[in-house]
Amino acid sequence: MTATPSQGAARPSIRELLARKRLIAAPGVFDMISVRIATRMGFDCLYMTGYGTVASYLGLPDAGLATYTDMVNRVGAFCSAATVPMICDGDTGYGGLLNVAHTVRGYERAGASVIQLEDQEFPKKCGHTPGRRVIPVEDMVKKIQVAVEARESRDFLILARTDARTTLGLDEALRRAEAYARAGADILFVESPESEQELETIGRTFDLPLLVNVVETGRTPVLPAETLEQMGFAIAIYPAVGFLAMGKALEDVYGHLQTHRTSLGIGDRLYDFPRFNTLMDFESVWDFDKRHAS
């Protein structure tokens, strides 16, 4: 069962969603098709995954290769098709403090509801992958302060992520998250906790809304929504579930086509073509043609 948002409906604010005190499950979106499908499914919030977006848009790994221009282009396109708040990956802010201010203003103007900024060294690496190194905590505090100063509306939220857990341990990650909270971050994100006990510790340490990153077969345990909610998390993002499902589906149907040289026998694994036309809003094109036919 899908829910199709009305075109004129006002987009709820992320603050309104957080005030409900119910875990927000946000699927990762990475291209315009995934945005349209997730929007029609009726999710309360979407997450623009850096990994999936860079892979889909550039065909490259999420390793600091995408530029601000690449990503703000995607933010604008994705948000134009969504009718719910979108959390958007802003990596390290794409440079120094002036770049951070420029990035925050650009993401806000493009329609994002939340920008995620992380404390990795440049070039950054995808979370849940090895080799991530972090900048001094004082440098990230300045980035958060600049981000808060640069935004135009308090309803545009700053999500501060620390990648310190993997290389420096949980205690350092908690210390950093606390510093980012004092700097003005609205939401905290301790990346890659490695056990339920660590998740529980994070959940009881902070009063600010907390985000957990759920990556299937990643470093963090995959737990039921009710458990994460009880631990104290406000948002659970599932950045990889969409592109991992797409990769598996394409491999299956392409494999069938390669083996059998026909698409016969895979109909039950395909989206119905007329329904896909509806998803892509071809009805508006056909209606336009009828109204303006010569």
Side-chain angles (χ1 to χ4, degrees):
M1 184 75 178
T2 60
T4 306
S6 61
Q7 293 299 314
R11 180 181 300 177
S13 76
I14 192 72
R15 288 192 186 276
E16 291 172 340
L17 294 180
L18 291 169
R20 298 175 187 175
K21 302 296 183 181
R22 183 174 183 270
L23 184 78
I24 300 166
V29 294
F30 52 92
D31 66 3
M32 293 298 287
I33 295 174
S34 64
V35 172
R36 283 185 172 270
I37 290 176
T39 297
R40 290 176 62 85
M41 294 296 294
F43 284 98
D44 290 328
C45 179
L46 307 180
Y47 177 74
M48 188 191 88
T49 159
Y51 186 120
T53 299
V54 173
S56 175
Y57 189 48
L58 299 176
L60 295 172
D62 183 21
L65 299 173
T67 66
Y68 162 77
T69 302
D70 291 325
M71 297 303 282
V72 78
N73 173 292
R74 297 292 81 201
V75 172
F78 292 1
C79 291
S80 72
T83 57
V84 296
M86 187 173 295
I87 301 168
C88 295
D89 188 352
D91 288 343
T92 63
Y94 306 103
L97 296 179
L98 188 62
N99 299 86
V100 170
H102 182 64
T103 297
V104 167
R105 286 192 285 264
Y107 272 46
E108 185 175 9
R109 285 194 298 265
S113 295
V114 181
I115 185 170
Q116 173 187 307
L117 297 171
E118 59 202 57
D119 61 3
Q120 285 195 55
E121 288 185 356
F122 183 86
K124 58 77 55 94
K125 295 181 174 64
C126 173
H128 292 254
T129 62
R132 286 169 290 139
R133 300 198 302 180
V134 293
I135 61 176
V137 64
E138 297 81 8
D139 292 350
M140 183 62 176
V141 163
K142 290 178 181 177
K143 285 191 176 188
I144 298 300
Q145 292 170 338
V146 165
V148 171
E149 179 184 283
R151 66 182 172 185
E152 295 180 7
S153 170
R154 287 191 68 256
D155 286 331
F156 179 70
L157 303 189
I158 310 301
L159 166 58
R161 164 176 151 177
T162 177
D163 283 71
R165 163 62 189 94
T166 302
T167 53
L168 301 179
L170 183 62
D171 288 345
E172 174 62 12
L174 296 176
R175 185 180 77 87
R176 284 170 172 258
E178 179 61 38
Y180 305 160
R182 291 195 301 269
D186 301 292
I187 306 171
L188 299 177
F189 174 7
V190 177
E191 175 65 297
S192 305
E194 298 186 2
S195 68
E196 290 190 39
Q197 183 178 6
E198 290 192 2
L199 286 165
E200 289 173 350
T201 299
I202 295 166
R204 65 173 177 261
T205 300
F206 304 101
D207 293 328
L208 285 182
L210 299 173
L211 180 146
V212 59
N213 184 17
V214 183
V215 177
E216 295 73 19
T217 68
R219 306 177 77 95
T220 302
V222 179
L223 301 175
E226 295 77 13
T227 302
L228 293 172
E229 191 173 279
Q230 290 167 6
M231 287 176 170
F233 290 94
I235 305 170
I237 57 170
Y238 296 80
V241 69
F243 63 76
L244 293 178
M246 178 206 68
K248 181 65 167 65
L250 287 177
E251 195 173 70
D252 286 350
V253 297
Y254 287 170
H256 180 100
L257 183 62
Q258 183 186 44
T259 300
H260 302 285
R261 294 178 297 159
T262 179
S263 61
L264 290 172
I266 59 173
D268 61 338
R269 287 178 275 173
L270 300 180
Y271 208 102
D272 181 71
F273 185 63
R275 188 165 159 244
F276 205 88
N277 289 338
T278 299
L279 173 70
M280 300 310 298
D281 196 26
F282 266 92
E283 281 91 345
S284 66
V285 176
W286 300 328
D287 180 63
F288 181 91
D289 288 344
K290 289 177 183 177
R291 287 187 288 111
H292 295 281
S294 57

